[in-house]
Amino acid sequence: MLFYSKIVIIASMKTKKYDHKKIESKWQKKWDKAKIFKTEKSSKKPKCYVLDMFPYPSGDGLHVGHPKGYIATDIYSRYKKMNGFNILHPMGWDAFGLPAENYAIKNKIHPEVAVKKNIKRFKNQLSKIGFNYDWSREINTTDPEYYKWTQWTFLQMYKKGLAYESYEPINWCPSCQTGLANEDLDGDLCERCGSKVEKKPMRQWVLKITEYADRMLQDLDKLAWPESIKELQRNWIGKSEGTEINFKITNYELGIKVFTTRVDTIFGCTYVVLAPEHPLLQKGKLQITNYELVQKYIDEVKNKPEIERTAEKKEKTGIKLEGVSAINPANGEEVPIFVADYVLGHYGTGAVMAVPAHDERDFAFAKKYNLPIKQVILPIRIDTKNPHREGYPIVERKMVHGLIKNKKTGEYLMLNWKSNPWTTFILGGAEEGEDEMEAILREIKEETGISNLKFLFKSISAYSEYGAYHKQQNRVAYPTAYFFEFNDDSTQVVVTDEEKAKHELQWIDLKKGLPKNFTCSEWDIWLSAMNFEGFSPMTELGKLFNSGKFNGLSSQEAKEKITEYLKSKKFGDKKITYKLKDWVFSRQRYWGEPIPVVHCEKCGIIPVPEKELPVILPKVKSYAPTGTGESPLADIAKWVNTKCPKCKGKAKRETNTMPQWAGSCWYYLRYVDPKNKKALVDKKEEKYFMPVDMYVGGAEHATRHLIYARFWHKFLFDIGAVSYGEPFMNLHSVGLILAEDGKKMSKRWGNVVNPDDMVKTYGADTLRMYEMFMGPFNQAIAWKTDNMIGCRRFIEKIWRIQFKVNKNATIDEELESLLNETIKKVSDSIENFSFNTAISSMMIFSNELDSREFVSRKTYEQILLLLAPFAPHVTDEIWNNLGNKKLIYKSIWPKFDPAKIIKNNFNLVLQINGKVRSTISVPVGITESEAQKIALENEAIKKYTTGAVIKKVIYVKDRLVNIVI
């Protein structure tokens, strides 16, 4: 009877369906009421600070792409909580800036009202997904109690000389009616509205971010960030170590300063180029005899987008400055001066020494305007097939190579040598006093009998090392290739018996590939010359020649020696430059933090006293841009007119406002201590919670927010406001979720998917699971609503398994092994942000449980604990159904036992000559012959073994196969 009644109870429970709406609403209310997500203040527990790049609350609300990163941090922080950490996982709003202001103007609503409405919308959407945010720490960058400390930091920068007023051309967006930093551009377009920016002189505030460039570069090595993000930062900062050189202008005291990283090429400088924006081109600076033409050219190109001016394939344009020339300080030669649009005024010094033999842009310009091209660097080529041998003498030779093309067939003439396994072009040495052209024609006639050839062009020269074993010599050669065309069979004469004994002639179609025994370490240089149909620019480092007393030096040696020489003559010195420019920190708009300074006619710029902070943004009716370049604040006399804090006389407030990025530079610090009215952050709390342990956001912020925030934080560190030199120790970039049509989700395309609809139809837990299961977290992937059903079915399966729980059920060795393996995989996957593999592991284990008639409660609870960070609502409901009174969020994460994991497979390492070429999962205990067979049939290995001679195969049991070829 007892057994019968138990069956009846189980059967009746099976009728209870999974109702996601009821369950999710229930548990969200319980969590909120119990305040279970509230972060403890500094405690004895280890802390884990998990941070989202906080959102700008747009009027459109969230689409399904937005929560992806938030779901990931929610899973990670829940996992850390269950592992005993004190979690700080906050949320707030980046609500100042152009987007909010433009939205308000478009919808005829005040930005403050719009922001409040949008935040309410975002918060409501986020709450439906079940995030574990501590909303008691919520911040808003537009709150005066928040931006008081943004203004305070600005004042500290001003006192330290890091904030300064400037008046010079900046990026001006005619649509947004404001100035922009370089980081706010997409090429030459405004990142926000897509309009082409212009260069416009403006009064603005600038922060000396370049003062921190070196430290930001060096400290990247301390960070556990994706290497791609670190490389983006390195490239954006763009540190260049080189030489600043002064080219004197004939008959003037003035000089042209150029910066170069390749001072080793200075002897090859054949002209100098000024950017159209260069101050020397202002009328009256130089007596340019064709100034009207020059000015006309400048007017034509000044508004061209930079991306167009610097495009590699764009035809180079410019005009020579008649009546003036520059003097090359290395050799005293006079060289012409040009103005050309491919040089930018704000990059380096706005001028370049042009070395067309060793720079592709200079080469293209020189070719167009028929300017001299002078090679001064020899590319170095070492013949690894025939290297120098110990004991052989070194003999230097001036070498010539002849490349003869048959005009009719397109084939090239080569020599198959009989005494050595070589195939070469015609080659030989130029005798002392012999002209190179004479030498190659002599070699061609001797070795082929051909005398009637049409000369086409010659290549650059090279520096070459190889072993001439047949001569028992080590050669150091200086080869040059001469290209000829052959079109007359009747001109071929008989080759001597002596030459026939050395080699035989062969015509080769190079399009089909090179001969097997072809030897020519300079082939890439000759091929480049062939493709260019003549001289091709050589940009690599090498050895100097045509460079006076510096001949024979390597490029690296020459950089030091030539710089020292120029310095001794007061013509140059070492210099470090950066691509990164100081941060344009003011906007000519209303919706931003007021800059806390006043302008006094008597005292100049005076900071607002700290006790008077915050300087509050005034309430206005009109906040649209003025169109004059002034902020709308300039028209509010009551707010603008004030007293000078120093002399108490009449003064005017600063009317430019801060950019959107100001508030987002330090928001993570305010989460630590959001209600503090006496300091930016309490030192004890900051020391406990900082630095951020895990930061998640879009890779598009690599060269904006992450650069700005690191600079801001380092400054706060320098003044003792924070305890650590870097804010974010670990970083993960979230891949975009695209629309089903593969485009970015946008109202413009009508392809937006609302998460509210997905939560309503499938449930928040299903949405969370699906977004993590779509693919690797950092990769972009297209949304497919139909695919959500797979995650929904998985949750329903987990739901059904609860009705199989039986206290008499046992766990066998195989299931226990799989459970421990699953715990390990899920734990490792969460740590590595490989959420899709974590879910896959849980799906495999759930299938095994579902195949059983009964399941032990202990085993089932283990899978619930693993699933809880991913699907918190349904797991709390089942946890409660099983009789647990404590919330699953406060439970302890399962621990795996390595001894109980039955290892069925291992990763077999596949090597070629000791180098790893692939790894493949194979069963434990496979035989040596099986391992060898697997290795030889592997596609990655076949690339190396096809056509090669396999000398031996080495097998290390359950570890590797090494194929020696």
Side-chain angles (χ1 to χ4, degrees), residues 678-698:
K678 295 182 179 179
L680 182 146
V681 61
D682 178 80
K683 289 194 173 182
K684 180 185 174 185
E685 293 296 304
E686 182 271 332
K687 192 163 188 178
Y688 172 70
F689 279 112
M690 289 297 292
V692 172
D693 298 286
M694 182 59 68
Y695 197 18
V696 175

Side-chain angles (χ1 to χ4, degrees), residues 15 25 553 775:
T15 62
S25 174
L553 293 178

